[in-house]
Amino acid sequence: MIVLLATTPAAAQKKGGTLRLYHNDNPPSTSLLEEATIASVMPFAAVFNNLVVFDPAKPHESLETVIPDLAESWSWDSTNTKLTFKLRQGVKWHDGQPFTAKDVQCTWRMLIGKTETQDVKRNPRKVWYTKLQDISINGDYEATFELSEPQPSLPVLLASAFSAVYPCHVPQQVMRTKPIGTGPFKFVEFKRGESIRLVRNPDYFKKDRPLPRRDRGQDDRQPRHADAGVRDRRVRHNFPVRRQRALMKDMKARAPNAICEMTTTGTLVNLLVNRVNPPFDNPDIRKAMSLALDRKAFNAILMEGLARMGGAMLPKDEGEWGMPPEMVSSLMGYGPDTGKNLTEAQAIMQKLGYSDAKPLQIKIQTRNLPTYRDPAVILTDQLKKIYIVAELDILDTPRWYSKLARKDYTIGLNVTGVSVDDPDGNIVENYSCHSERNYTQYCNAEVDKLLAAQSRELDREKRRKIVWDIERMLVDDAARPVILHGAAGNCWQPYVRNFKPHSNSQYNNLRFEDVWLDR
């Protein structure tokens, strides 16, 4: 259940005050276009604007909740292959330079590799734009995205926090350390492992925003430290959507006035198996590992039964595209008879020559955060039952993402954050053959064919059914076994007003430009 804060009339909103937030990790860099983690989005989304955004006041994100940002309006042509944006005038970058359509053109030409100097180190979402042929401009305030075929998801992809518009005149080397945007807050400093400081942008094009003076993120790898901050009133807000339920209960007991709520996060715990590395190039071993997953146990231990069970797409009711529950329960390894699944997995491993006396020794790599380490411990325990003895290898965030990008691992426990609840922003990004974020190196020509079909399908119900067919194939192939879809809590002081967690993504309402402090 989602609890919404009551809004207060604009006349009663107060400007000023310092909004302090505990953050859960060190960002790899400040460049949102090059990163794939909320560790970068959470502190730096407020520096930027998009062409369009999801309405921060509406908890459920969908095509219907996309609203203007740097674009004033947008429209498709009759072929559904050209999407034209009319842009705001008078917007300035934080260094005083004017924002124009050229900046939009430069940003997406860089992402599709159509510039003479391609200087992005990583391009995690390039696969979003495989249909994008070019961006044409008409004067300073009109830009058109030209597609090879229809892509109805494009507006929601552009509403992602990862779809920030960048300035043409600033090199990417600068954007990785001292970002310049048009957003409600300006970058001041980033002390790695200590603090991040942003200050109110006095020239923001929304003249009455932002309301707080500054936004400060602090590193917090131990959840109870952040909870203590909320309890003693030094901290206005903790890291959104990261409290486990037990910790949230403890916080509520110690700080009865704190506002706390549980919500789905748009993140999914999953097993990564690099299928090119022996012996995991054997599909039988991958199937056995998938069958050995006791999702009910993971849910009970990690989420007190509040997690959602599904395939790659966020399940109903929060998810826009998830399979019906009866379809989920029919998938390999998802049925209620976990004992039968385990027996089948053991038989597969025994046939391959493994046993208690002759186990398969492996390392499981994961990120140095509780949300990764805790399920990784459970995974090692469950794999022992099929004669796989695992040692955990814990990596800090930069090393973790660097290894994934290079496919330099064999087994991993991952938490995939889905920034947009849409098949193009999730299954295309994570499972298509040529995606940078296809960490398991899974490649199925039939799946890619269906991914292309769903992406161009204009009929929503037809598109949904294609997606369900893809989901079944991914489970049968043990492509990237999904363990559970996360649910967690937000807590904040009651005088932090107008913050509304979103139910199907934790990424896209982190600018805090509408938040105000009632004190």
Side-chain angles (χ1 to χ4, degrees):
M1 178 178 176
I2 298 173
V3 181
L4 301 182
L5 288 175
T7 58
T8 302
Q13 293 178 355
K14 300 176 182 178
K15 286 188 178 181
T18 299
L19 180 63
R20 291 188 174 90
L21 303 98
Y22 267 99
H23 189 28
N24 75 328
D25 203 0
N26 265 315
S29 83
T30 66
S31 177
L32 299 191
L33 295 184
E34 296 180 279
E35 299 302 342
T37 172
I38 199 169
S40 290
V41 173
M42 197 273 183
F44 301 119
V47 173
F48 299 101
N49 286 105
N50 292 17
L51 288 169
V52 295
V53 292
F54 293 107
D55 189 340
K58 295 180 178 177
H60 183 77
E61 297 175 359
S62 69
L63 182 62
E64 289 70 33
T65 68
V66 175
I67 61 173
D69 202 26
L70 287 174
E72 292 183 330
S73 64
W74 57 96
S75 60
W76 290 100
D77 75 340
S78 59
T79 68
N80 290 297
T81 61
K82 291 184 179 181
L83 182 59
T84 298
F85 293 91
K86 304 287 186 181
L87 306 178
R88 295 184 187 274
Q89 301 184 30
V91 178
K92 293 182 180 180
W93 295 100
H94 292 159
D95 60 3
Q97 294 292 316
F99 158 76
T100 70
K102 188 70 175 174
D103 295 302
V104 178
Q105 185 182 60
C106 285
T107 298
W108 272 272
R109 280 187 172 177
M110 179 174 65
L111 293 176
I112 64 175
K114 204 164 184 174
T115 54
E116 292 182 3
T117 56
Q118 174 74 351
D119 61 353
V120 288
K121 287 184 176 179
R122 293 184 295 271
N123 195 352
R125 289 159 296 279
K126 184 177 181 179
V127 72
W128 286 8
Y129 305 114
T130 53
K131 302 178 194 300
L132 182 58
Q133 303 299 293
D134 199 6
I135 302 88
S136 61
I137 60 176
N138 179 19
D140 285 341
Y141 302 108
E142 183 177 296
T144 298
F145 284 63
E146 301 175 354
L147 305 176
S148 59
E149 62 180 357
Q151 186 178 13
S153 68
L154 185 57
V156 297
L157 298 179
L158 295 176
S160 163
F162 285 118
S163 298
V165 181
Y166 271 26
C168 267
H169 62 283
V170 180
Q172 295 315 301
Q173 184 177 1
V174 174
M175 297 298 288
R176 294 179 194 120
T177 56
K178 298 178 181 179
I180 292 173
T182 58
F185 293 90
K186 301 171 75 170
F187 176 83
V188 177
E189 65 179 359
F190 174 16
K191 295 181 179 179
R192 188 166 293 277
E194 184 177 338
S195 66
I196 298 163
R197 191 158 65 92
L198 311 178
V199 67
R200 188 178 189 273
N201 177 11
D203 300 317
Y204 193 43
F205 63 86
K206 300 176 187 179
K207 297 304 180 184
D208 61 340
R209 297 291 186 270
L211 292 164
R213 282 198 303 266
R214 64 182 64 175
D215 170 6
R216 181 183 180 190
Q218 294 177 283
D219 185 39
D220 164 41
R221 301 190 190 188
Q222 301 300 324
R224 291 186 183 273
H225 293 178
D227 298 345
V230 172
R231 291 197 301 268
D232 70 14
R233 302 176 68 86
R234 290 183 292 107
V235 179
R236 282 34 168 189
H237 202 297
N238 69 355
F239 179 78
V241 200
R242 71 173 312 283
R243 300 297 99 184
Q244 294 178 350
R245 184 168 174 82
L247 290 178
M248 196 178 76
K249 286 180 178 178
D250 178 65
M251 182 190 299
K252 191 65 179 174
R254 295 169 182 263
N257 292 329
I259 298 170
C260 295
E261 61 182 73
M262 293 293 295
T263 185
T264 47
T265 62
T267 61
L268 50 152
V269 180
N270 51 92
L271 172 63
L272 299 180
V273 181
N274 193 337
R275 55 188 52 221
V276 304
N277 291 351
F280 301 100
D281 55 344
N282 186 330
D284 289 337
I285 290 184
R286 299 196 300 268
K287 180 179 179 180
M289 295 175 74
S290 182
L291 285 168
L293 298 173
D294 184 346
R295 293 172 174 84
K296 186 176 181 181
F298 275 97
N299 195 2
I301 297 168
L302 297 174
M303 306 283 179
E304 295 190 11
L306 295 175
R308 306 297 189 266
M309 296 297 136
M313 298 304 298
L314 178 65
K316 298 177 178 297
D317 289 324
E318 295 86 357
E320 289 271 305
W321 301 92
M323 293 178 287
E326 62 274 12
M327 191 177 293
V328 173
S329 64
S330 71
L331 299 174
M332 181 187 72
Y334 282 79
D337 194 344
T338 55
K340 179 182 177 183
N341 293 336
L342 181 60
T343 299
E344 183 179 352
Q346 289 172 335
I348 292 172
M349 295 297 287
Q350 289 166 2
K351 186 177 180 181
L352 294 171
Y354 298 104
S355 65
D356 285 329
K358 187 183 176 183
L360 174 59
Q361 304 275 351
I362 65 170
K363 279 190 175 183
I364 296 178
Q365 295 183 320
T366 197
R367 187 177 173 190
N368 190 19
L369 290 176
T371 48
Y372 288 66
R373 295 193 308 263
D374 293 349
V377 171
I378 299 171
L379 176 64
T380 61
D381 183 64
Q382 293 190 1
L383 291 180
K384 286 179 185 177
K385 298 175 182 178
I386 60 166
Y387 324 120
I388 296 177
V389 177
E391 175 189 350
L392 287 185
D393 183 14
I394 308 297
L395 306 173
D396 62 23
T397 292
R399 289 181 62 217
W400 169 247
Y401 279 102
S402 178
K403 278 184 170 289
L404 290 184
R406 299 194 313 267
K407 316 298 188 293
D408 180 21
Y409 77 97
T410 298
I411 303 296
L413 188 287
N414 189 38
V415 180
T416 299
V418 179
S419 66
V420 178
D421 183 25
D422 184 275
D424 281 359
N426 181 355
I427 51 177
V428 170
E429 179 179 319
N430 292 300
Y431 298 93
S432 59
C433 290
H434 303 294
S435 173
E436 185 174 305
R437 292 198 73 198
N438 183 349
Y439 299 137
T440 65
Q441 305 192 69
Y442 171 77
C443 186
N444 183 321
E446 182 61 26
V447 168
D448 265 23
K449 182 179 177 181
L450 291 175
L451 287 174
Q454 66 79 28
S455 183
R456 63 175 171 262
E457 179 55 62
L458 298 174
D459 185 295
R460 189 176 182 83
E461 288 307 312
K462 289 181 180 178
R463 188 180 179 211
R464 183 177 281 113
K465 289 179 181 178
I466 298 173
V467 170
W468 293 348
D469 288 340
I470 296 169
E471 291 263 52
R472 281 190 287 265
M473 294 176 69
L474 296 177
V475 173
D476 289 343
D477 288 347
R480 187 191 290 197
V482 174
I483 297 172
L484 53 80
H485 289 259
N490 281 280
C491 290
W492 59 90
Q493 293 286 4
Y495 51 79
V496 176
R497 300 298 186 97
N498 228 24
F499 176 74
K500 295 176 173 61
H502 286 188
S503 65
N504 52 345
S505 177
Q506 62 177 343
Y507 288 82
N508 303 319
N509 66 330
L510 298 175
R511 280 197 200 152
F512 301 104
E513 66 184 38
D514 297 310
V515 170
W516 60 284
L517 305 178
D518 188 14
R519 56 178 300 172

